[in-house]
Amino acid sequence: MEPSEQKAVRGVGHSVRRVEDDRFIVGRGNYLDDVKLPRMLHMAIVRSPLAHATIESIDISEAMALEGVVAVVTGKDLEAHKLAWMPTLSGDTQAVLATDKVRFQGQEVAAVIAESPYVAADAAELVEIEYEPLDIFVDPYKALENTETIIRSDKEGQADNVAYEWEAGDKAKTDQLFAEADHVVKLHTHYPRSHPAPLETCGCVADVNGATGKATIYLTSQAPHAHRTLFALVAGLPEQNIRVISPDVGGGFGNKVPIYPGYVVATAASLLLDAPVKWVESRSENLMSTGFARDYHMDGELALTSDGTITAMRCHITSDHGAFFADAQPTKFRAGLVHICTGSYDMQAAHITAKGAYTNKAPGGVAYRCSFRVTEASYIIERLVQNAAYELGMSPVEIRRKNFIKKEQFPYTSCTGFIYDSGDYDASLDKALEMLGYDEIMAERDAARAEGRLMGVGIATFTEVVGAGNSKEYDIAGLKMFDSAELRVHPTGKAILKLGVQTQGQGHETTFAQIVANELGIPPEDIAVGHGDTDNTPYGLGTYASRSTPTGGAATAVIARKLRDKAKKIAAHLLEASEGDLEWDSNKFVVKGTDKSVSIQDCAFAAYTNPPDGEEPGLEGVHYYDPPNMTYPFGAYAVVVEVDPETGEWEVKRMVAVDDCGVRINPMVVDGQIHGGLTEGYAMASMQYIHYDDDGNCVGGNFIDYLIPTAVETPKFELGETVTPSPHHPIGAKGVGESATVGSPAAYVNAVLDALQPLGVKNLEMPVTSGRVWEAIQAAKAAAE
Amino acid sequence: MYPPRFDYVAPTSLEEALDALAEHGDEGKIIAGGQSLIPMLKLRFASPETLIDINRLPGMDGVSEEGGTLRFGALCRHNQLGAHPLMTSKYHVVAEAGTLIADPLVRNMGSLGGSLCHADPQADWGSVMIALKATIVCQKKGATREFGAAEFMEGIFTTKLADDEIVTEIRCDAANGGFGSSYLKMERKVGDFATCGTAIALTLKDGTIASAGVGLTAMGAKNLHAEDAEKVLVGQAPSAELFAEAAEAAVAIADVREDSRGTPEYKKNVLRTFMKRGLAKAALRAQA
Amino acid sequence: MEVTITVNGRTHTKSVEPRMLLVHFLREELGLTGTHIGCDSSHCGACTVLVDGTPLKSCTYLAVMANGRSVETVEGLKQGGKLHVIQEEFKEQHGLQCGYCTPGMMLVGKALLEENPNPTDDEVRFAISGNICRCTGYMNIVKSIQAAGKRMQAESADAAE
């Protein structure tokens, strides 16, 4: 036997084409709905049409009588097994199937299990439920004031509709700085309720084998290990008997982090019926009942000196969580990491308070393509800074430069307690302005204004905090936020890498192989990457919050290095040299000053065929990586728009995005992530939101009302980069999947506001619809008269 | 989502189709392109006993301009009309609407007749046919009825079409010289229903507007016929002032509500703007 | 009701309920799961297939309507063991991420290139505007389709020589 031939290593920095594409382009992906098991039954959920009502009666007889119906499950049935309620990821509880009352439109009330999905849908219509309506609260401010109607009457001691209160920062110092300020800038704005809406909805196939007791649960999951543990805790199943398989996932964006009632009901039904049960949401079910995002009402204030120096920031948040506080975020941070809201600016103090409200809306909210509320934080500071520039008569560029944390200040401890690992904010802004041709664009804008056209230039310079944990501070439902990688190098020099994180389109099967290639010299095509199967991967917290590269990627680099260390011992044995005389050269050990070398493949072969005396055979290992800190990606975005003054429509003329995510593992994949994020940022800025009428009816419960931009509306992006490595990440990388969603909404909104600046328009709420723009123009004109 | 149970027949001649309609009466439902009906079935907003699929009827998708008459078969697909050389060169109002309805995939299947019979006030073809002063031909076993487009549409999702009838053809006078038309539509994204749409057809003779047709989309409970606006236009020479006056006449009949597309004031403003722009565009084409 | 439908060149005769959607016929009856479901309301295009060469949403089309017709799905793109150029270019240009919209995008792209072998950026965007992608921001999808068009032209020019 001979080890395999040498090939190009193509590690970090190469735009390696994605190995996962091979199955997707031929239609051979294996998404949840593609899973088909023998004897499989189908589940449909019966949902409440009302937003708040007691359940008077449920009659399942007609549904049960339909041919092909196997069972109809209600909350009472689950109650008997103590499964009517389940914990959320933020320490609250959530009804699985409603027993007492319904608390939002679309809430799960009963489930039909039938032989085909068509029959399940037929039977769902036949379940008769009588409701008695209750007062409805869709406005979080009104819900918080009210103590008559308690939405969460199920919670002992709950005498109001307050979900939580939370604060961060230094109130006294902040108050003092505001008292001393020359100028205070204020902004009240709402980051509207949005929904990640991955193109594949959520679903599961629960297969509890009555003979073996083994529960195999196929799940659209961004966090299969965490979900397995929660299943063990909620359903009382022994954890070794639970196998969660997250197959190919058609996009997640945070939507597939929580556990949803449908999963629990399907699993319970499978257990009771001893048959696999499939449940796949419709799009309406997805939008109306699973993890929404945002819905933060924010009052932000900046204290400034007369020269434009920001001294302090205040932010109060009223957050609307719907009927159940079902955020997925670290226990310690009730409002998420929104206290990163001081952004890229060096200020002395900040004080952030948050009050969470229960309302009669769908529960949430998840971090939609963002790290725990960083999107809201970035939005408020970038809007405030632009307003400050206008109020002080400075340019939005000048005020940012003046207040940026400087390159030499890193690592920088922010006044709310974050330690920013690295940054060079001036460099990224310089680059963006250069790409844009800022001076020319501003001249063009001014010329347009002189003609009466409404052209605007908007800037946003963001700082994110991603890659949770460290485990001291960050956990999900008590599970510490580390992550893991297991690497096995086979005798022929090929390898298998198994991950605790889970890809949903990010390309881990390619990029994580590149990390191994970088550290161990095995080409990516010789490395199979496994993920998403709890029986066959080491424990991890999953993929969200841009954490895969900072945690799982770091674990991968570290385990590869550990194996390289072992390989070095083997190399020394093969070369009959001392370890100290060996040098690593991308994929081989060379005896210093000679041309004698052995490749990593030679070492792998020897690990199984000729290990050194006293050395454990084999070449494999697992590493659990607990990051010392988060990573802090940043960037500068600039948007040019023109507004039609007659209709209020606005069009993006240019969109320049400079991102710094440290070292780029696969530049092609990074650019793809940024394109996607910029699009979702544009969607939120322009059209995509969910709202409720006074009766609690969801507007935005399908793709007719919940608007997703097509290729026609989506701007054409111009990307640039700077590279400031993370000092603590093994390969200097930071997370990037969410930067563009976090940073870009403010850039778009600031651009439209800049266009309307000559008219005196001070604020626009997202989504910045043409109607809202036109109304703002009319109001400004009326005010000027 | 899954449609409810129904029976299905697929006649291969108009005669068979009319027989099927006569047999099934109000329990039968014609499916043409199905791009509105199938989603409604999936939502279970509709539950017909029998679907009568007319997609296999021969000769129902023709377009012809002969003997002073422009004829459209009811099964003309939106994309077919949007790309039709006669439309893109002469009847711009048809070509423009045909490329703005829904999205490219829906347009490949959705049909002119189906859309008219569905009578969604936010749909586009009704306004176009009002502007063209088209006649809608409804046939049943042994009888034919004809309606003007404005008359055909009665209200939200309701038309003159009887349960046993089928729309076979839509026709209008062919344009001679001096004809110009336009369709403008505000949609929030591709695939959205209209916030506002204006269908305009003008014929100019010796520098004055000899005839005018104006249909409005999403401005009321059905596609509206802006007769007052037409009256303002006819007999006058095109001018910005005239178009502004016609726009006001159109705005006067708009009956709109606030929703996520905007306030009534906003929607009326869009109508005003589009009327002016659409008229200017149509007049320019008429003068070309 | 019995239907006979040719899918990717193979003729299948099956008994189906009239209410069965074409997408379910393909996925459940034939096991061709490359055609996806994303929205229910005919707004996302994940279920796009070609019926007699025309791209349609198979979630808004009954299986019985396809009786006697010819359907092409993503599984039919690869011919004789060779990937279609559009498949190769989606990989080469990073035109996909999660892969869920990809089958529909490629089929629409293929149909577009047959009519317009050298489309502009805006022409591609217009053609794919019935298909939603949540991952890529469309930038590289447009590039993939354009690149496929260029290669197909070059290949047919070579063949003509």
Side-chain angles (χ1 to χ4, degrees):
Chain A
M1 268 176 83
E2 289 298 321
S4 62
E5 60 185 300
Q6 292 285 300
K7 284 187 263 187
V9 171
R10 299 196 303 156
V12 168
H14 292 264
S15 289
V16 176
R17 299 305 185 263
R18 302 194 328 163
V19 61
E20 42 268 85
D21 291 359
D22 293 342
R23 61 182 186 273
F24 295 140
I25 57 175
V26 294
R28 295 290 296 277
N30 183 38
Y31 300 92
L32 190 279
D33 198 18
D34 304 341
V35 174
K36 207 172 176 179
L37 301 178
R39 300 188 305 117
M40 187 169 78
L41 301 172
H42 299 266
M43 185 173 95
I45 293 180
V46 184
R47 293 172 183 276
S48 168
L50 302 177
H52 202 195
T54 53
I55 296 171
E56 299 295 303
S57 67
I58 301 178
D59 181 354
I60 64 168
S61 54
E62 259 195 83
M64 280 301 292
L66 193 71
E67 195 187 325
V69 171
V70 178
V72 179
V73 184
T74 66
K76 295 280 176 227
D77 301 324
L78 292 182
E79 215 164 35
H81 299 272
K82 295 196 165 58
L83 283 175
W85 290 81
M86 64 176 189
T88 71
L89 294 180
S90 40
D92 196 357
T93 50
Q94 176 172 356
V96 176
L97 293 176
T99 47
D100 51 344
K101 62 176 183 176
V102 291
R103 293 170 172 82
F104 68 95
Q105 187 188 47
Q107 188 176 341
E108 301 80 359
V109 182
V112 176
I113 291 106
E115 285 166 1
S116 90
Y118 280 83
V119 173
D122 294 344
E125 284 197 308
L126 299 175
V127 175
E128 294 276 342
I129 305 166
E130 270 185 76
Y131 297 99
E132 188 61 40
L134 297 166
D135 288 345
I136 291 161
F137 289 88
V138 292
D139 178 337
Y141 292 100
K142 286 184 183 155
L144 287 172
E145 279 167 18
N146 179 278
T147 50
E148 302 276 300
T149 303
I150 311 300
I151 294 167
R152 293 304 304 278
S153 48
D154 57 291
K155 289 178 81 176
E156 222 178 287
Q158 180 85 33
D160 52 26
N161 292 316
V162 179
Y164 66 82
E165 290 188 71
W166 189 77
E167 70 174 304
D170 184 335
K171 181 175 190 310
K173 192 170 173 193
T174 304
D175 287 348
Q176 187 199 332
L177 287 162
F178 268 87
E180 291 165 1
D182 297 328
H183 194 83
V184 173
V185 177
K186 297 184 183 196
L187 176 67
H188 172 81
T189 190
H190 179 215
Y191 204 126
R193 182 174 276 238
S194 193
H195 193 287
L199 199 51
E200 178 206 33
T201 60
C202 301
C204 71
V205 178
D207 181 18
V208 187
N209 185 317
T212 64
K214 178 94 183 177
T216 306
I217 302 165
Y218 300 84
L219 199 64
T220 49
S221 171
Q222 295 179 230
H225 287 280
H227 285 163
R228 183 190 60 186
T229 300
L230 290 166
F231 264 99
L233 296 172
V234 172
L237 296 167
E239 196 164 358
Q240 81 279 14
N241 276 359
I242 308 174
R243 179 182 183 189
V244 173
I245 298 176
S246 185
D248 287 325
V249 175
F253 314 118
N255 186 219
K256 293 167 181 169
V257 174
I259 294 218
Y260 294 120
Y263 304 161
V264 178
V265 184
T267 305
S270 176
L271 178 69
L272 296 172
L273 300 169
D274 194 13
V277 175
K278 179 188 267 191
W279 171 67
V280 179
E281 285 178 330
S282 70
R283 175 56 59 190
S284 291
E285 291 180 292
N286 176 254
L287 290 169
M288 289 176 73
S289 71
T290 62
F292 78 89
R294 325 286 193 244
D295 219 349
Y296 264 27
H297 299 259
M298 298 184 281
D299 289 286
E301 290 178 80
L302 287 183
L304 297 110
T305 61
S306 52
D307 71 346
T309 303
I310 303 167
T311 57
M313 179 177 185
R314 258 194 212 124
C315 190
H316 177 69
I317 295 146
T318 302
S319 93
D320 184 341
H321 291 280
F324 309 104
F325 178 33
D327 281 27
Q329 63 198 16
T331 309
K332 191 171 164 184
F333 305 107
R334 307 298 282 163
L337 303 182
V338 69
H339 50 305
I340 190 80
C341 63
T342 56
S344 309
Y345 310 104
D346 185 15
M347 56 183 90
Q348 298 171 46
H351 185 231
I352 293 96
T353 54
K355 197 167 184 177
Y358 288 121
T359 58
N360 293 116
K361 301 182 190 173
V366 298
Y368 165 20
R369 207 164 182 161
C370 104
S371 176
F372 315 125
R373 306 289 187 175
V374 176
T375 310
E376 292 90 325
S378 177
Y379 184 69
I380 188 74
I381 182 69
E382 290 303 308
R383 290 284 316 279
L384 276 166
V385 166
Q386 168 142 328
N387 281 5
Y390 291 147
E391 290 183 24
L392 293 173
M394 297 172 77
S395 96
V397 169
E398 188 191 350
I399 195 167
R400 285 183 166 85
R401 286 202 196 287
K402 189 172 189 73
N403 289 286
F404 272 159
I405 300 159
K406 298 287 176 283
K407 191 180 172 182
E408 52 278 9
Q409 287 176 274
F410 292 92
Y412 171 85
T413 303
S414 82
C415 56
T416 56
F418 293 99
I419 302 167
Y420 293 20
D421 59 346
S422 65
D424 187 349
Y425 300 153
D426 282 298
S428 68
L429 181 57
D430 286 345
K431 175 99 185 210
L433 298 181
E434 183 200 318
M435 284 173 65
L436 188 67
Y438 185 67
D439 294 338
E440 295 83 349
I441 282 285
M442 294 308 279
E444 200 184 310
R445 182 201 71 173
D446 293 341
R449 281 183 180 175
E451 289 170 21
R453 282 162 52 211
L454 301 176
M455 183 173 161
V457 179
I459 291 169
T461 50
F462 67 91
T463 296
E464 270 196 292
V465 49
V466 308
N470 59 72
S471 67
K472 272 206 302 288
E473 294 214 291
Y474 299 98
D475 70 285
I476 295 284
L479 298 167
K480 297 296 188 184
M481 298 189 79
F482 51 78
D483 231 288
S484 64
E486 180 190 309
L487 182 58
R488 299 181 189 171
V489 183
H490 305 316
T492 56
K494 319 282 180 180
I496 286 185
L497 174 71
K498 298 184 173 202
L499 301 172
V501 294
Q502 206 283 341
T503 188
Q504 312 123 38
Q506 294 91 339
H508 294 169
E509 292 169 34
T510 307
T511 57
F512 279 61
Q514 287 181 259
I515 297 174
V516 174
N518 205 60
E519 301 301 322
L520 202 52
I522 300 173
E525 61 269 29
D526 287 351
I527 303 162
V529 177
H531 58 92
D533 177 351
T534 58
D535 267 11
N536 289 305
T537 54
Y539 204 96
L541 269 280
T543 293
Y544 44 85
S546 292
R547 67 186 297 280
S548 293
T549 294
T551 61
T556 300
V558 172
I559 190 59
R561 286 176 189 176
K562 283 187 184 171
L563 296 196
R564 192 176 71 200
D565 289 345
K566 178 168 180 181
K568 193 173 189 180
K569 291 186 173 45
I570 298 170
H573 162 69
L574 294 175
L575 290 163
E576 298 175 336
S578 80
E579 273 190 69
D581 289 336
L582 298 186
E583 264 178 346
W584 174 250
D585 176 16
S586 82
N587 59 357
K588 58 183 184 287
F589 291 99
V590 184
V591 180
K592 280 179 204 165
T594 75
D595 58 359
K596 278 175 69 185
S597 69
V598 287
S599 70
I600 186 66
Q601 288 81 6
D602 295 329
C603 296
F605 194 65
Y608 298 89
T609 59
N610 177 22
D613 287 344
E615 194 63 43
E616 193 182 344
L619 193 58
E620 63 179 63
V622 59
H623 183 76
Y624 279 70
Y625 186 82
D626 184 359
N629 187 9
M630 306 277 265
T631 67
Y632 294 75
F634 58 94
Y637 294 163
V639 172
V640 181
V641 299
E642 181 147 359
V643 177
D644 181 335
E646 289 185 305
T647 64
E649 292 170 293
W650 54 279
E651 191 188 347
V652 175
K653 297 288 188 190
R654 300 274 305 276
M655 199 309 161
V656 171
V658 174
D659 272 273
D660 192 324
C661 56
V663 172
R664 296 182 172 210
I665 298 163
N666 182 322
M668 174 190 83
V669 167
V670 170
D671 283 354
Q673 291 289 306
I674 294 167
H675 287 155
L678 293 173
T679 304
E680 295 192 39
Y682 171 74
M684 274 173 278
S686 63
M687 60 176 81
Q688 182 182 295
Y689 77 127
I690 288 177
H691 63 109
Y692 289 79
D693 70 14
D694 291 343
D695 295 326
N697 295 309
C698 176
V699 183
N702 50 48
F703 280 170
I704 304 166
D705 294 319
Y706 190 67
L707 303 181
I708 308 269
T710 74
V712 167
E713 298 80 40
T714 300
K716 296 166 190 173
F717 309 117
E718 303 163 52
L719 305 191
E721 66 176 273
T722 58
V723 176
T724 311
S726 167
H728 63 78
H729 187 278
I731 57 170
K734 301 179 177 185
V736 73
E738 299 160 334
S739 293
T741 322
V742 168
S744 68
Y748 296 112
V749 176
N750 282 344
V752 183
L753 277 167
D754 189 60
L756 304 185
Q757 166 75 3
L759 302 173
V761 173
K762 299 253 188 280
N763 187 29
L764 285 167
E765 291 293 327
M766 289 196 293
V768 180
T769 62
S770 55
R772 285 176 170 176
V773 170
W774 184 81
E775 301 283 353
I777 293 172
Q778 304 318 304
K781 280 184 181 163
E785 273 163 15
Chain B
M1 284 183 172
Y2 305 90
R5 286 203 166 89
F6 48 75
D7 290 330
Y8 172 87
V9 292
T12 53
S13 70
L14 182 59
E15 228 165 40
E16 276 178 42
L18 296 177
D19 284 343
L21 281 168
E23 182 191 335
H24 295 287
D26 63 353
E27 302 294 352
K29 175 88 188 152
I30 293 173
I31 180 165
Q35 301 300 289
S36 297
L37 180 59
I38 293 175
M40 285 176 69
L41 291 169
K42 288 162 78 177
L43 288 165
R44 303 198 172 211
F45 288 167
S47 49
E49 238 165 53
T50 303
L51 279 193
I52 301 160
D53 180 356
I54 61 167
N55 285 290
R56 290 165 205 275
L57 301 192
M60 283 270 283
D61 61 355
V63 176
S64 68
E65 190 188 37
E66 277 171 22
T69 302
L70 175 64
R71 292 172 195 275
F72 303 97
L75 269 184
C76 285
R77 313 290 169 175
H78 309 323
N79 261 347
Q80 176 194 350
L81 296 176
H84 198 287
L86 186 60
M87 306 304 141
T88 54
S89 63
K90 190 170 175 186
Y91 300 99
H92 293 96
V93 66
V94 177
E96 286 169 348
T99 49
L100 283 167
I101 296 166
D103 67 47
L105 301 172
V106 171
R107 290 196 288 268
N108 280 337
M109 196 62 207
S111 70
L112 170 60
S115 175
L116 289 169
C117 295
H118 185 54
D120 188 322
Q122 283 181 295
D124 308 277
W125 282 132
S127 301
V128 172
M129 293 306 153
I130 286 170
L132 290 173
K133 306 203 185 299
T135 298
I136 294 171
V137 181
C138 307
Q139 208 171 326
K140 71 170 181 179
K141 216 177 160 175
T144 300
R145 297 194 295 165
E146 296 187 351
F147 300 97
E151 183 192 5
F152 179 74
M153 269 157 297
E154 293 191 311
I156 301 179
F157 304 126
T158 55
T159 67
K160 292 278 190 207
L161 189 75
D163 290 331
D164 57 354
E165 281 180 322
I166 179 170
V167 170
T168 52
E169 181 180 276
I170 298 93
R171 64 160 194 265
C172 64
D173 290 343
N176 291 316
F179 177 82
S181 65
S182 69
Y183 190 72
L184 297 185
K185 176 179 184 176
M186 176 181 276
E187 53 181 9
R188 297 170 297 176
K189 55 162 275 189
V190 171
D192 189 23
F193 285 103
T195 299
C196 170
T198 55
I200 287 161
L202 300 176
T203 306
L204 262 60
K205 217 173 240 171
D206 306 328
T208 62
I209 297 169
S211 74
V214 181
L216 309 178
T217 304
M219 286 293 119
K222 56 181 181 174
N223 292 133
L224 298 183
H225 182 196
E227 286 174 279
D228 292 345
E230 292 172 358
K231 280 181 197 148
V232 167
L233 294 163
V234 172
Q236 306 295 317
S239 72
E241 295 72 27
L242 180 73
F243 295 162
E245 196 188 327
E248 291 312 321
V251 169
I253 63 165
D255 178 15
V256 285
R257 295 206 183 116
E258 175 157 9
D259 57 23
S260 46
R261 290 179 174 82
T263 60
E265 295 71 32
Y266 175 65
K267 291 179 181 178
K268 287 178 184 176
N269 169 70
V270 175
L271 173 60
R272 180 179 294 116
T273 306
F274 279 20
M275 278 295 293
K276 290 191 268 189
R277 291 179 185 177
L279 283 165
K281 206 168 173 182
L284 203 64
R285 285 169 174 163
Q287 287 155 349
Chain C
M1 172 173 178
E2 193 174 272
V3 292
T4 299
I5 303 172
T6 302
V7 180
N8 302 328
R10 272 186 63 188
T11 301
H12 302 266
T13 300
K14 296 255 176 191
S15 176
V16 300
E17 277 194 279
R19 63 170 168 166
M20 177 175 274
L21 301 171
L22 178 60
V23 67
H24 292 136
F25 178 81
L26 297 169
R27 291 178 52 81
E28 306 301 330
E29 298 293 318
L30 304 187
L32 296 172
T33 55
T35 305
H36 300 141
I37 299 170
C39 77
D40 305 314
S41 60
S42 205
H43 281 78
C44 83
C47 63
T48 302
V49 299
L50 306 182
V51 177
D52 292 337
T54 302
L56 300 176
K57 290 172 177 169
S58 64
C59 82
T60 315
Y61 195 89
L62 302 171
V64 288
M65 292 166 79
N67 191 14
R69 300 188 195 276
S70 177
V71 177
E72 184 178 351
T73 71
V74 63
E75 289 92 344
L77 282 172
K78 188 174 169 181
Q79 290 284 325
K82 197 179 173 318
L83 290 174
H84 191 280
V85 173
I86 204 153
Q87 292 173 304
E88 292 182 341
E89 288 302 327
F90 264 73
K91 175 171 179 174
E92 183 59 27
Q93 308 296 335
H94 191 32
L96 64 149
Q97 291 181 25
C98 82
Y100 205 74
C101 75
T102 312
M105 290 288 184
M106 291 191 304
L107 289 166
V108 170
K110 180 185 179 231
L112 169 69
L113 294 176
E114 275 161 18
E115 280 183 12
N116 179 1
N118 194 17
T120 64
D121 187 295
D122 285 339
E123 284 168 346
V124 176
R125 284 172 182 265
F126 185 76
I128 62 172
S129 61
N131 299 71
I132 284 173
C133 172
R134 292 291 278 163
C135 297
T136 65
Y138 306 104
M139 292 284 289
N140 291 344
I141 292 176
V142 175
K143 261 171 74 181
S144 303
I145 294 172
Q146 286 184 311
K150 289 213 172 70
R151 264 187 60 193
M152 285 160 72
Q153 277 183 300
E155 282 169 20
S156 62
D158 283 352
E161 272 168 23

